[in-house]
Amino acid sequence: MKLLIKQACIIDPLSSHHGKIQDILIENGIIREIAKDISEKADEFVDRKGAQVSPGWVDIFSNFADPGFEFKETLETGAAAAAAGGFTDVFLIPNTLPVTDNKSQVESLIHRNGGLPVTINPGRVSGISVNIHPIGAITKNLDGRHLAEMYDMKNSGAVAFSDGLHPVQSSGVLVKALQYVKAFNGVIIQIPDDSSISPNGLIHEGIISTKLGLPGKPMMSEELIIARDIKLARYTHSRIHFTGVTSPKSIDYIRRGKDSGVDISCSVTPYHLFFSDESLLDYDTNLKVYPPLRPKAVVSQLKQALVDGTVDCIASHHLPHEYDSKILEFENAKFGMTGLETSYAVVQTLFPDLSAEKIYALFGGNARRIFNLDPCTIEKGSSANLTLFSPETRWTFDLTKTASKSKNSPFYDKPFTGKALGIITKGKLHLSH
């Protein structure tokens, strides 16, 4: 099986071809040649004007709802959505049924990832297989009290540890978890939220929540956990990653923590950069997310943190829900939206002047470094684990063509500039529709 990519700009700071427009010949999943012009015959061609190619992108926080909630998403449909969004690697949170809190569950997910046949477009089946990386639970059954067997899960392939949508509240439990993972250089992932503060809050506490008559959640609930967890990471000399950060004060805490030598990192979601709490004025349940959308002034500061490098990664927080979980009263709707297919488009549209190197760092390079993933570079003899994308392509997101099983996205009919063209992984090509 030979695949030839024609005239793509290589974006890979670790490659000797970085910044060059080259042809790339791939044979049986291995890069066989990189040159200005390759005339060799191939089974498949990719020739897109203005295309860029980088090592595969990584999403560090997604829910494929499988096992237990396959009516929302499955490994197959989740992998298809990831491929359509340009992601070759996806971290799966443990909020499934049963919970991913033991080595058997980790091994089961990895075994099923051996070669997922996924339906990319209606009527078309391809052997694309996104690399799935299970996140092991910190506590048993996500109870927040009793530590799970993280060492066993690490040995079975868990990439990191988190209680996912139920962040650890107990300082005593979290400090033990940080000490536990330090033995094997593991990383804890936390959504920063003190759930005891406004536990029934639905949106950001402020003018909009008052106007809508909905219970609010203050940014303080995030800031308290960020400040606490940085202190715990400093005390244990361990590693923690905050995801879904929304508060400028949180960003300041993280910036100062990094400057003082604490091993911390953070990620933001595309939708926290695109929408504000004013977007909720029509009670769109697809915008009911956790953590909640913040005011425009806060969003502006969050964007600045991405530009100045304080933010390490983009995390989609892909949380699919079936129709019945979203089409009902706002108070009763589930939190979350799908996001894998639109993540890059949102960021490229919002930040048209962001360099291609910065895009790759946010979508893959930093995550590979933080979470100790295998090195991935575009060089002759390397495995072809690649993402193809175009920063200039104009398109509109069409929910009728989504690869996800669920359709809870507020980006329907939104125009974007910048599109993931597809991925190459495990010797197979998937081009987005």
Side-chain angles (χ1 to χ4, degrees):
M1 176 69 180
K2 290 184 179 180
L3 168 64
L4 182 59
I5 302 172
K6 297 291 292 182
Q7 297 299 288
C9 183
I10 295 174
I11 307 300
D12 178 9
L14 299 179
S15 171
S16 59
H17 303 281
H18 175 56
K20 298 177 183 177
I21 297 177
Q22 302 279 57
D23 289 358
I24 304 172
L25 178 65
I26 298 163
E27 184 175 0
N28 297 325
I30 303 297
I31 298 174
R32 292 302 181 196
E33 189 177 353
I34 301 175
K36 189 68 178 176
D37 183 37
I38 299 174
S39 57
E40 187 170 341
K41 291 184 178 180
D43 300 291
E44 292 187 272
F45 288 83
V46 178
D47 191 357
R48 299 285 186 93
K49 185 179 179 180
Q52 299 182 346
V53 59
S54 74
W57 294 348
V58 182
D59 185 68
I60 63 170
F61 201 90
S62 279
N63 187 8
F64 285 1
D66 185 357
F69 305 96
E70 290 88 348
F71 52 91
K72 297 177 184 288
E73 194 82 283
T74 65
L75 292 189
E76 290 79 8
T77 58
F87 294 97
T88 61
D89 296 76
V90 181
F91 294 7
L92 298 188
I93 60 175
N95 304 75
T96 50
L97 188 67
V99 172
T100 310
D101 62 358
N102 59 71
K103 69 176 185 177
S104 296
Q105 287 302 118
V106 171
E107 290 168 356
S108 174
L109 288 169
I110 291 175
H111 175 73
R112 292 179 62 193
N113 182 46
L116 292 174
V118 298
T119 303
I120 305 301
N121 295 319
R124 178 187 170 201
V125 176
S126 174
I128 293 295
S129 181
V130 169
N131 303 302
I132 286 174
H133 304 272
I135 297 174
I138 296 171
T139 62
K140 294 178 181 178
N141 205 35
L142 307 176
D143 67 7
R145 294 177 294 160
H146 306 99
L147 288 184
E149 293 293 341
M150 289 183 279
Y151 185 77
D152 284 350
M153 286 190 281
K154 173 67 175 178
N155 287 340
S156 295
V159 69
F161 298 92
S162 174
D163 275 1
L165 304 175
H166 304 289
V168 175
Q169 300 297 302
S170 166
S171 300
V173 170
L174 189 62
V175 77
K176 289 177 182 176
L178 287 164
Q179 290 169 330
Y180 196 142
V181 301
K182 187 178 186 299
F184 48 81
N185 198 32
V187 184
I188 297 290
I189 300 176
Q190 277 266 77
I191 291 180
D193 176 44
D194 186 330
S195 61
S196 68
I197 295 189
S198 301
N200 298 316
L202 299 176
I203 66 174
H204 172 76
E205 183 182 85
I207 294 173
I208 301 300
S209 64
T210 302
K211 184 179 293 188
L212 296 179
L214 295 172
K217 184 88 169 174
M219 286 191 290
M220 176 177 62
S221 64
E222 173 183 312
E223 295 156 2
L224 286 171
I225 292 295
I226 292 271
R228 181 201 73 173
D229 290 0
I230 290 174
K231 289 180 183 295
L232 297 181
R234 178 183 289 115
Y235 171 76
T236 57
H237 300 284
S238 194
R239 308 174 67 207
I240 192 164
H241 179 91
F242 301 107
T243 189
V245 176
T246 65
S247 163
K249 194 167 290 186
S250 296
I251 291 292
D252 185 50
Y253 290 159
I254 290 167
R255 187 181 290 119
R256 285 190 285 160
K258 287 182 175 182
D259 290 343
S260 68
V262 183
D263 200 344
I264 54 177
S265 54
C266 70
S267 54
V268 298
T269 75
Y271 56 76
H272 282 118
L273 299 169
F274 194 92
F275 296 104
S276 71
D277 61 349
E278 290 183 21
S279 306
L280 288 160
L281 287 171
D282 61 356
Y283 293 92
D284 183 356
T285 57
N286 285 326
L287 292 172
K288 182 181 179 182
V289 291
Y290 173 70
L293 301 175
R294 303 300 187 186
K296 284 184 177 179
V298 171
V299 173
S300 295
Q301 294 180 70
L302 204 58
K303 290 179 179 178
Q304 182 56 43
L306 182 143
V307 172
D308 70 25
T310 304
V311 172
D312 299 282
C313 308
I314 296 293
S316 75
H317 282 221
H318 178 84
L319 297 176
H321 290 296
E322 78 288 4
Y323 181 88
D324 290 342
S325 285
K326 282 293 188 177
I327 308 300
L328 70 172
E329 298 85 356
F330 194 92
E331 292 88 336
N332 298 320
K334 299 290 187 184
F335 288 95
M337 68 172 74
T338 59
L340 284 167
E341 294 170 277
T342 52
S343 286
Y344 167 66
V346 169
V347 174
Q348 186 65 60
T349 300
L350 290 174
F351 302 92
D353 297 326
L354 213 58
S355 69
E357 292 84 357
K358 180 72 170 178
I359 287 288
Y360 170 60
L362 288 167
F363 279 90
N366 288 343
R368 291 186 180 279
R369 170 181 53 80
I370 292 166
F371 295 98
N372 306 314
L373 298 185
D374 291 336
C376 184
T377 189
I378 303 177
E379 291 285 2
K380 183 177 180 179
S382 297
S383 294
N385 195 46
L386 309 175
T387 295
L388 294 155
F389 60 105
S390 169
E392 302 297 333
T393 297
R394 297 178 182 274
W395 66 294
T396 300
F397 184 51
D398 184 351
L399 270 183
T400 64
K401 296 180 180 178
T402 181
S404 173
K405 195 169 187 176
S406 294
K407 294 179 169 56
N408 55 307
S409 171
F411 291 110
Y412 173 60
D413 270 353
K414 290 279 193 300
F416 293 116
T417 301
K419 192 177 195 302
L421 301 177
I423 63 169
I424 299 166
T425 182
K426 298 184 179 179
K428 296 182 175 67
L429 166 70
H430 161 57
L431 294 178
S432 303
H433 52 71

